[in-house]
Amino acid sequence: MASWSEKMLQLLRRMNNFHLPGSSLESCLRFEVAGEQVGWISPKVASILGRFPAVFRPYGSAITFCSGLDTFESRSVAVDEVLQELRREASFTCLIGWRDEDEFYFQQYAVMPRYCDPPLMYMERAATSLFGVKRYGVHVNGYTRDSSGNLNMWLARRSLTKQTYPGRLDNMAAGGLAAGCSVRHTMVKECEEEACIPPGLAEQARPVGTVSYTYEDEEGIFPECQFVFDLELPLNFQPHIGDGEVQAFYYYPIENVKDLLVSEEFKPNCAMVVLDFLIRHAIIEPDSGLLHTGGQMSDHLVGFEIRI
C-alpha cells in the first residue's frame, strides 16, 4: 500500500502535469493578446477556432486577434459570440458549466499576462480552460487552536449540485476571483455567503501567500493561482450553510485532515491549499518523508509554487 508521501506525490504530479514529460505543452500554441502571452491553446482547440477568421488569426506559433479587435470590450464581445456558438453546438464539454449569470461581466474572468496588469479582455469562466488562461481564486483555511496548542480545521463538503467535484471536501470557504473584484472583498464575500461568517470576523483572516499550479485534463488547460488566507476562529464558533454551495461542515483534528488530504474525498486543488497550511504550520516537517523522496518532490514541483 502506498505511503502518505507517495500518495501526495501522485497528487502533486496530477495537479501540475502540464509541466511534466508527456503533456501537450510542446504542441500547444501561445494565446497572445496585444503582443502579450496570456494562455495556451491546444491543437484541437486551435483547429476549431480557425472556423472564425474574423476573430482569430495565426501568428507564427501563436494565435491572436484579428486587427480591429483592439479593445477589451471588442475582444470580450467577439469571444463571447464565438463561445455562445460553440456552446450551442456542444463542441466542448467544459462549456456545459456555463454560469448564465444575469449580468455579462458578473462571472467573467479578467484575462491579463500578470495579476497586476490591466485586463486585456474578459472571458466566461467555463471557457478559460480552452485558452489556457490563468484563473485566480481565494481560499480560506478556517482553523482553531485549543489551550494545549492543538490545531483543528473546519472543512466544507461541496453540494451535490456543484458543476465541478460535487460532494468533495473543500476549504471552509473559497471562490473564483471575478473580474473587477478585489482579493479581500472576494474573501469576505465567500466567507459570508458560503459559511455565514460575519464580515467583522472574516476581516481578521491573514493573507499568507499564493499557491500556483497548472494541470490539463480532457476539458483543457488549467493554470491557476489561489490567494490563501488563514482565519483562526473562536473555539465556540461554528460555520453554517449559507448559499447552498456547501452541504455540510466538518471539524477535524489536523492529523485527520492530513489523512483526508490524500483520499479521493478531497477536491484536488483545495488539497494543495491545505498542504501549504500543513507545511507552514510544521505539521509536515523535513523528516516526515514528503520532503526527501529521492528527488521526486522537486521533479513534481516544477511549475508548482507556494509564495509567501
Side-chain angles (χ1 to χ4, degrees):
M1 182 177 295
S3 68
W4 186 92
S5 295
E6 291 168 336
K7 291 178 181 177
M8 179 52 67
L9 287 170
Q10 292 171 10
L11 181 58
L12 286 169
R13 181 167 58 181
R14 172 184 175 186
M15 290 306 297
N16 215 42
N17 60 9
F18 189 64
H19 292 284
L20 294 179
S23 77
S24 68
L25 177 58
E26 291 188 2
S27 62
C28 284
L29 299 171
R30 299 187 310 278
F31 179 38
E32 294 186 356
V33 181
E36 297 271 12
Q37 182 177 0
V38 296
W40 294 99
I41 298 178
S42 70
K44 174 185 175 182
V45 174
S47 66
I48 293 179
L49 296 183
R51 293 166 38 199
F52 303 93
V55 178
F56 302 103
R57 67 181 178 90
Y59 180 72
S61 58
I63 290 179
T64 188
F65 285 102
C66 293
S67 59
L69 297 176
D70 53 3
T71 65
F72 75 82
E73 291 95 345
S74 62
R75 298 176 191 124
S76 301
V77 171
V79 169
D80 186 69
E81 291 173 351
V82 168
L83 293 174
Q84 292 283 8
E85 182 170 339
L86 296 178
R87 182 190 183 198
R88 288 189 293 270
E89 297 173 358
S91 299
F92 298 103
T93 57
C94 64
L95 297 182
I96 297 173
W98 197 289
R99 263 71 181 171
D100 272 330
E101 301 291 347
D102 292 335
E103 298 180 28
F104 177 72
Y105 291 119
F106 183 73
Q107 272 295 341
Q108 298 293 309
Y109 273 32
V111 177
M112 57 269 195
R114 293 160 295 275
Y115 177 72
C116 58
D117 294 332
L120 299 172
M121 59 174 291
Y122 294 146
M123 182 179 292
E124 154 63 32
R125 175 180 180 175
T128 53
S129 63
L130 298 178
F131 295 84
V133 167
K134 179 169 282 191
R135 305 196 299 189
Y136 295 88
V138 178
H139 286 241
V140 183
N141 296 303
Y143 72 100
T144 65
R145 192 183 298 272
D146 64 25
S147 58
S148 300
N150 299 314
L151 285 170
N152 298 274
M153 180 175 278
W154 283 101
L155 299 178
R157 188 174 295 280
R158 295 164 65 82
S159 168
L160 292 175
T161 62
K162 290 288 288 183
Q163 292 161 332
T164 57
Y165 298 100
R168 296 286 192 95
L169 291 175
D170 202 334
N171 301 114
M172 181 184 68
L177 193 60
C181 293
S182 71
V183 174
R184 180 161 286 276
H185 170 80
T186 300
M187 181 273 293
V188 173
K189 177 178 73 71
E190 295 296 337
C191 281
E192 185 173 22
E193 292 178 354
E194 293 189 355
C196 296
I197 298 172
L201 179 55
E203 285 283 2
Q204 298 177 28
R206 295 185 304 110
V208 293
T210 61
V211 173
S212 300
Y213 46 84
T214 305
Y215 69 94
E216 63 176 340
D217 60 21
E218 64 280 358
E219 293 196 345
I221 302 166
F222 297 82
E224 296 186 342
C225 176
Q226 309 300 346
F227 292 92
V228 181
F229 288 80
D230 284 356
L231 176 58
E232 185 169 1
L233 296 164
L235 286 170
N236 61 353
F237 180 83
Q238 180 174 345
H240 295 283
I241 298 171
D243 58 9
E245 294 195 9
V246 172
Q247 59 173 302
F249 288 99
Y250 305 115
Y251 186 59
Y252 289 121
I254 202 66
E255 287 297 329
N256 292 50
V257 174
K258 179 182 173 183
D259 291 338
L260 286 166
L261 205 59
V262 294
S263 73
E264 291 298 319
E265 283 200 76
F266 234 101
K267 184 172 181 273
N269 71 319
C270 299
M272 300 296 95
V273 174
V274 177
L275 173 63
D276 167 50
F277 181 92
L278 296 179
I279 293 172
R280 288 187 290 101
H281 289 265
I283 306 303
I284 297 174
E285 297 186 356
D287 291 330
S288 66
L290 179 62
L291 303 183
H292 62 91
T293 50
Q296 293 182 69
M297 172 62 87
S298 60
D299 291 344
H300 298 323
L301 284 179
V302 175
F304 178 84
E305 301 175 326
I306 297 175
R307 294 184 177 176
I308 304 300

